[in-house]
């Protein structure tokens, strides 16, 4: 089964779970009406990923819906395989499953599971998915892995269509492409602040960069950010694109030149309980 056509630029809607269903419908419709070909969303403690994907696919007509990412501790591998095939069959060419190991705190303290070695646990999960029974004889749908480190990126090369790194600098995209090889899908997510107030934009960017830092620290040091803990301006700028849509377009171009096939934009705002419709519109006007 072919990989859905994500286009070059999509939307990563990180705060969908804050929206009631009626607002969720309006936000998804807005993404499609603006012309973004792909809509990504995460799974944390809100709506279950496969149910949310079905909601979004039912609301839209053309948009590719992708989990960015569905946690492997949230459901067993057989359930995930069945749900993936069900959605791929019902909405041909419009669903992409992104899988990730999530974070230890979420897995252990919230879900009550034991957090295993990430690569080995993901490999075993994929093994179980690949041997799962499913009634209708449909081809195996494509999947991507949330991958930051080299070992998970290598696993994404051999056991998935590619990788979905979230919130990393352009240099990481360049290295990921080398590890993945020329044929694998590389769909990256870029954190973005579109705000006329430079002070407000910088404060918001720094706050989100700090939240993303713990599980990226070693990787960022390896990329040349030796004093990553200090969150200096250079690192914040590398993690979060701030400014106007032209500045964001420049960052997108850098990722594409570094080897990304697709860049999804996670627009950060001071009102996460409201979809960033204005920013999406401004970005669509410049990028699509």
């Amino acid at each position: 089964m072919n990989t859905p056509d994500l286009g070059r630029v999509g939307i990563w809607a990180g705060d969908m779970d804050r929206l009631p269903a009626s607002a969720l419908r309006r936000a998804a419709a807005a993404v499609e009406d603006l012309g973004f070909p792909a809509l990504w969303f995460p799974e944390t403690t809100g709506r279950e990923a496969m149910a949310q994907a079905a909601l979004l696919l039912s609301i839209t007509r053309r948009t590719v819906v992708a989990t960015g990412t569905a946690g492997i501790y949230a459901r067993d591998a057989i359930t995930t395989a069945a749900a993936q095939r069900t959605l791929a069959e019902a909405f041909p060419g419009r669903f992409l499953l992104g899988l990730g190991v999530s974070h230890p705190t979420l897995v252990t303290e919230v879900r009550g599971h034991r957090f295993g070695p990430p690569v080995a646990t993901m490999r075993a999960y994929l093994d179980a998915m690949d041997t799962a029974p499913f009634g209708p004889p449909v081809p195996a749908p494509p999947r991507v892995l949330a991958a930051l480190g080299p070992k998970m990126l290598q696993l994404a090369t051999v056991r998935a269509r590619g990788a979905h790194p979230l919130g990393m600098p352009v240099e990481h995209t360049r290295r990921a492409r080398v590890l993945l090889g020329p044929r694998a899908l590389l769909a990256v997510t870029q954190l973005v602040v579109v705000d006329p107030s430079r002070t407000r934009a910088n404060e918001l960017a720094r706050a989100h960069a700090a939240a993303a830092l713990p599980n990226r620290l070693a990787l960022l040091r390896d990329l040349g950010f030796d004093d990553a803990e200090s969150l200096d301006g250079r690192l914040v700028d590398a993690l979060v694109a701030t400014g106007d849509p032209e500045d964001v377009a420049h960052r997108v171009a850098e990722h594409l030149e570094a080897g990304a096939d697709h860049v999804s934009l996670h627009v950060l705002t001071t009102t996460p309980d409201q979809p960033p419709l204005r920013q999406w519109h401004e970005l669509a006007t410049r990028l699509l």
Side-chain angles (χ1 to χ4, degrees), residues 16-38:
M16 283 291 197
D17 286 341
R18 294 174 179 266
L19 305 179
S22 58
L24 177 73
R25 294 186 181 95
R26 291 193 294 273
V31 169
E32 181 165 82
D33 290 344
L34 288 169
F36 288 105

Side-chain angles (χ1 to χ4, degrees), residues 158-175:
V158 297
R159 299 298 304 276
R161 293 293 174 89
H164 172 52
L166 190 154
M168 291 296 284
V170 171
E171 180 56 33
H172 183 272
T173 298
R174 188 171 291 107
R175 293 194 183 187

Side-chain angles (χ1 to χ4, degrees), residues 84-169:
Q84 180 194 23
R85 288 172 179 262
T86 299
L87 292 173
E89 181 187 19
F91 301 94
R94 291 189 53 217
F95 177 63
L96 179 62
L97 176 66
L99 289 171
V101 296
S102 189
H103 302 285
T105 300
L106 184 60
V107 170
T108 58
E109 296 181 15
V110 177
R111 295 194 181 278
H113 298 292
R114 179 182 177 185
F115 189 80
V119 175
T121 303
M122 177 63 80
R123 184 182 291 109
Y125 194 89
L126 298 177
D127 289 343
M129 281 189 67
D130 290 345
T131 57
F134 185 73
V138 297
R143 63 194 178 207
V144 294
L145 304 185
L148 296 179
K151 291 182 180 180
M152 193 67 80
L153 285 165
Q154 289 164 355
L155 185 65
T157 302
V158 297
R159 299 298 304 276
R161 293 293 174 89
H164 172 52
L166 190 154
M168 291 296 284

